[in-house]
Amino acid sequence: MSTSTYVVSGMACGHCADAVTEELERVPGVTAVRVDVEADRVTVTSDRELDLARVRAAVEEAGYELTDPGPEQGVDEAV
């Protein structure tokens, strides 16, 4: 399992979180999405390495802007 955290700007409420979650869950390989609206962060768990372009496209489809992943990116050893 792989976990990546992204900064997403423009989110302000639970509806925003739902929209981003819905679009990211459509990306192949995504197994879980956790959104922290107050921190402008989205953590995505996947069963493979994700293509940043697909993640960015999903966030933009929801109406928000993705910045490049921060240092909180890695592989979860407990599979």
Side-chain angles (χ1 to χ4, degrees), residues 27-50:
V27 174
V30 170
T31 58
V33 177
R34 188 178 76 238
V35 178
D36 183 344
V37 173
E38 292 178 12
D40 295 328
R41 299 222 180 255
V42 177
T43 302
V44 179
T45 303
S46 60
D47 60 9
R48 65 188 88 156
E49 187 174 332
L50 297 176

Side-chain angles (χ1 to χ4, degrees), residues 18-78:
D18 291 344
V20 170
T21 298
E22 182 178 328
E23 291 300 329
L24 285 170
E25 286 177 339
R26 294 179 181 173
V27 174
V30 170
T31 58
V33 177
R34 188 178 76 238
V35 178
D36 183 344
V37 173
E38 292 178 12
D40 295 328
R41 299 222 180 255
V42 177
T43 302
V44 179
T45 303
S46 60
D47 60 9
R48 65 188 88 156
E49 187 174 332
L50 297 176
D51 176 24
L52 181 59
R54 283 188 169 204
V55 173
R56 184 181 308 280
V59 169
E60 289 175 356
E61 181 67 25
Y64 305 95
E65 184 179 348
L66 174 76
T67 62
D68 290 330
E72 300 172 43
Q73 184 175 15
V75 175
D76 182 2
E77 299 298 330

